[in-house]
Amino acid sequence: MNIIYIYYSKFNQQLPDYLFYQYIAQLPTSLQEKNLRYRRWQDRHSHLFGKLLLIAGLKNYGYADDILNSIKYNQYSRPFIDGNIDFNISHSGEYVLFAIGEDLRIGIDVEEIKDINFDDFEKVMTKEQWQEISLSQDPVRAFFDYWTIKESVIKADSRGLSIPLLDILVNQNNVRYDKQTWYLNSLNLGKNYSAYLTTNKKDVTINTEYLDF
């Protein structure tokens, strides 16, 4: 059985400057520069925490502290490293999540649930999916569950938003797209968040660990 490790963190206030710059010094210069181009401190923190979780997760597999210098990107800008390790990062609201595993494909997504205009997303759900959302006791929650599932699938697939979200068909705990079956794992982060882990292996063991920065 495959083991997937999920490292997560959260924040609701800005780090003191000395601590922020102490952490960011652990990143390669290119990632430091990218981080500081974000205008909102929340975006800078989400980016930083994601990379710190990435370092922690890869160290668990024996990689050195400077492993971020070896990160590569595919044609769809999805990060990877050479070998049989797959990983994925997601953040929304106060949460930052990182999933990593061996000999399988992984996609993880978290979304903060908030009021939205459904008209802006008309073309990302099938007729049947919209019907299920509209008949739900909590349509906003139902929408974000579908959205998070689809986001986790396109991240696991590695082609990202080049995949039409409309074409992703959800059937209880699995998804079909382009002749591939993906398996869903719901992650409980409370009533204000929807989070899903998607893998190409059905039977997985998920270990979670909270890291406080």
Side-chain angles (χ1 to χ4, degrees):
M1 181 175 291
N2 294 88
I3 300 176
I4 297 173
Y5 297 92
I6 296 179
Y7 297 85
Y8 70 103
S9 190
K10 63 184 299 188
F11 60 89
N12 54 23
Q13 60 184 1
Q14 191 170 0
L15 291 175
D17 284 346
Y18 81 91
L19 190 54
F20 176 83
Y21 286 105
Q22 178 180 318
Y23 282 136
I24 202 172
Q26 300 179 39
L27 308 187
T29 301
S30 60
L31 290 178
Q32 294 183 38
E33 293 173 348
K34 179 178 180 180
N35 183 285
L36 296 175
R37 284 197 294 269
Y38 290 114
R39 300 183 66 179
R40 299 172 66 246
W41 71 263
Q42 293 91 339
D43 296 328
R44 293 194 296 272
H45 281 44
S46 294
H47 176 268
L48 172 62
F49 285 16
K51 297 303 180 287
L52 295 177
L53 293 176
L54 173 55
I55 293 172
L58 290 172
K59 286 177 67 175
N60 187 51
Y61 283 88
Y63 289 92
D65 291 347
D66 63 351
I67 182 58
L68 295 192
N69 291 307
S70 300
I71 298 295
K72 301 179 181 179
Y73 297 85
N74 71 7
Q75 61 180 314
Y76 302 101
S77 299
R78 189 185 194 273
F80 70 95
I81 55 174
D82 292 331
N84 58 349
I85 300 293
D86 194 31
F87 61 85
N88 208 222
I89 303 171
S90 182
H91 60 83
S92 182
E94 298 180 349
Y95 277 96
V96 184
L97 277 63
F98 168 77
I100 186 169
E102 193 171 10
D103 297 322
L104 78 173
R105 299 290 299 175
I106 292 174
I108 194 168
D109 193 64
V110 57
E111 299 291 341
E112 183 179 14
I113 297 174
K114 58 183 69 174
D115 288 336
I116 60 167
N117 184 349
F118 287 152
D119 293 341
D120 295 337
F121 299 91
E122 180 181 358
K123 296 182 179 180
V124 302
M125 304 290 176
T126 65
K127 180 180 178 180
E128 292 75 18
Q129 289 166 354
W130 277 124
Q131 183 176 27
E132 183 176 339
I133 290 169
S134 64
L135 293 177
S136 170
Q137 293 183 347
D138 188 346
V140 175
R141 173 88 202 193
F143 170 84
F144 273 100
D145 283 345
Y146 262 120
W147 177 266
T148 307
I149 287 171
K150 294 189 177 202
E151 285 283 322
S152 68
V153 169
I154 66 174
K155 294 171 74 176
D157 178 272
S158 84
R159 287 176 288 178
L161 288 173
S162 67
I163 295 176
L165 294 179
L166 184 66
D167 295 345
I168 297 175
L169 304 179
V170 182
N171 180 21
Q172 295 183 338
N173 291 327
N174 64 70
V175 170
R176 288 286 296 174
Y177 175 74
D178 196 21
K179 300 180 180 180
Q180 169 74 50
T181 300
W182 298 97
Y183 300 95
L184 305 173
N185 300 272
S186 177
L187 307 174
N188 183 13
L189 297 179
K191 66 179 182 179
N192 295 324
Y193 288 87
S194 175
Y196 276 86
L197 172 75
T198 291
T199 71
N200 64 340
K201 300 289 183 69
K202 184 176 182 179
D203 296 317
V204 298
T205 296
I206 300 174
N207 293 333
T208 61
E209 182 177 349
Y210 178 75
L211 298 183
D212 188 10
F213 297 116

